[in-house]
Amino acid sequence: EVQLVESGGGLEQPGRSLRLSCAASGFTFHDYAMHWVRQAPGKGLEWVSGISWNSGSPGYADSVKGRFTISRDNAKNSLYLQMNSLSAEDTAMYYCVKSMAATIPEYFKEWGQGTLVTVSS
Amino acid sequence: QSVLTQPPSVSEAPRQRVTISCSGRSSNIGNNAVNWYQQLPGKAPQLLIYYDDLLPSGVSDRFSGSKSGTSASLAISGLQSEDEADYYCAAWDDSLNNWVFGGGTKLTVL
């Protein structure tokens, strides 16, 4: 059974940084692309970033480009999202999402339960 | 403003059929597969339809998907109260080099 467990969320002040982690199990992690998708309170889904199986050419939404960095450690079956220069607009539930294939443009197959990030002074 | 356009809400009576539309452009729906996700209240989204019209294992065949040109639709037949949820369409956008979502449609079973 695929399990994706996010951690690292919490309350942070504007301008500060947070690092999210996602521990994956139940599948061969290094075979699949992974993504972060977020959902602001009461709002819809927004793709944040994706990374292919070998970490080549990660993609970012314009809203986070230059501030967020996605990475993965295939040896540790883990996905990360380094979030810098946080603003109130980054307040959201952040979901770790497994792709159905090795590259970014393939559909999202399984989702974690999410970790909540709140940016407020 | 979402790149893909969905109606904010739809409603229908139990045992009836409802459709949810998703409109895009050539760079996304017109050139790539559409996928649909169901988000039950308080839960994470889950895959409902992939590659326009395919059902993942375990998803009821009351759900179906279709696509024509730059628009796609999700149909739910034999509506049940447990179908009340938010539904999102998604597609890869070749111009943006991004995944794009619809704004979501809240389904109410009357």
Side-chain angles (χ1 to χ4, degrees):
Chain A
E1 178 195 2
V2 171
Q3 288 203 352
L4 302 167
V5 180
E6 303 93 337
S7 61
L11 175 63
E12 190 52 87
Q13 295 180 338
R16 301 293 293 267
S17 299
L18 269 178
R19 189 193 195 208
L20 305 184
S21 299
C22 171
S25 61
F27 65 101
T28 306
F29 183 73
H30 63 245
D31 280 347
Y32 295 92
M34 297 293 294
H35 302 266
W36 290 99
V37 175
R38 70 183 180 184
Q39 185 171 34
K43 302 296 185 182
L45 302 172
E46 179 190 19
W47 178 78
V48 172
S49 182
I51 187 167
S52 62
W53 68 280
N54 63 353
S55 301
S57 302
Y60 298 94
D62 286 347
S63 57
V64 307
K65 203 170 290 184
R67 298 188 300 122
F68 290 10
T69 302
I70 192 172
S71 62
R72 63 189 296 161
D73 185 335
N74 287 342
K76 295 183 177 180
N77 291 345
S78 293
L79 177 72
Y80 306 101
L81 185 68
Q82 178 66 43
M83 305 188 296
N84 298 334
S85 303
L86 287 165
S87 71
E89 288 68 39
D90 297 316
T91 294
M93 182 73 78
Y94 285 73
Y95 294 104
C96 171
V97 184
K98 172 184 170 289
S99 174
M100 66 76 63
T103 56
I104 293 173
E106 286 292 346
Y107 65 87
F108 313 128
K109 195 162 189 293
E110 281 106 356
W111 301 62
Q113 290 305 303
T115 187
L116 182 62
V117 172
T118 304
V119 183
S120 175
S121 54
Chain B
Q1 189 83 356
S2 300
V3 174
L4 304 182
T5 301
Q6 297 180 235
S9 63
V10 295
S11 59
E12 188 51 90
R15 298 179 297 281
Q16 299 305 304
R17 182 177 184 271
V18 70
T19 61
I20 297 172
S21 61
C22 175
S23 177
R25 56 183 64 181
S26 58
S27 59
N28 43 64
I29 294 178
N31 204 38
N32 295 294
V34 176
N35 310 295
W36 291 89
Y37 300 90
Q38 178 193 56
Q39 187 175 30
L40 296 168
K43 300 292 188 181
Q46 52 188 358
L47 180 65
L48 193 63
I49 297 283
Y50 67 100
Y51 290 165
D52 301 335
D53 58 7
L54 299 182
L55 266 66
S57 173
V59 172
S60 170
D61 60 5
R62 297 186 298 104
F63 295 91
S64 63
S66 64
K67 188 177 82 172
S68 178
T70 59
S71 292
S73 290
L74 170 70
I76 312 171
S77 60
L79 276 171
Q80 302 175 2
S81 59
E82 65 219 48
D83 298 330
E84 285 203 336
D86 293 323
Y87 294 86
Y88 294 90
C89 58
W92 178 256
D93 191 298
D94 293 328
S95 295
L96 297 174
N97 226 30
N98 274 4
W99 276 96
V100 292
F101 283 95
T105 299
K106 182 176 182 62
L107 169 63
T108 300
V109 181
L110 300 171

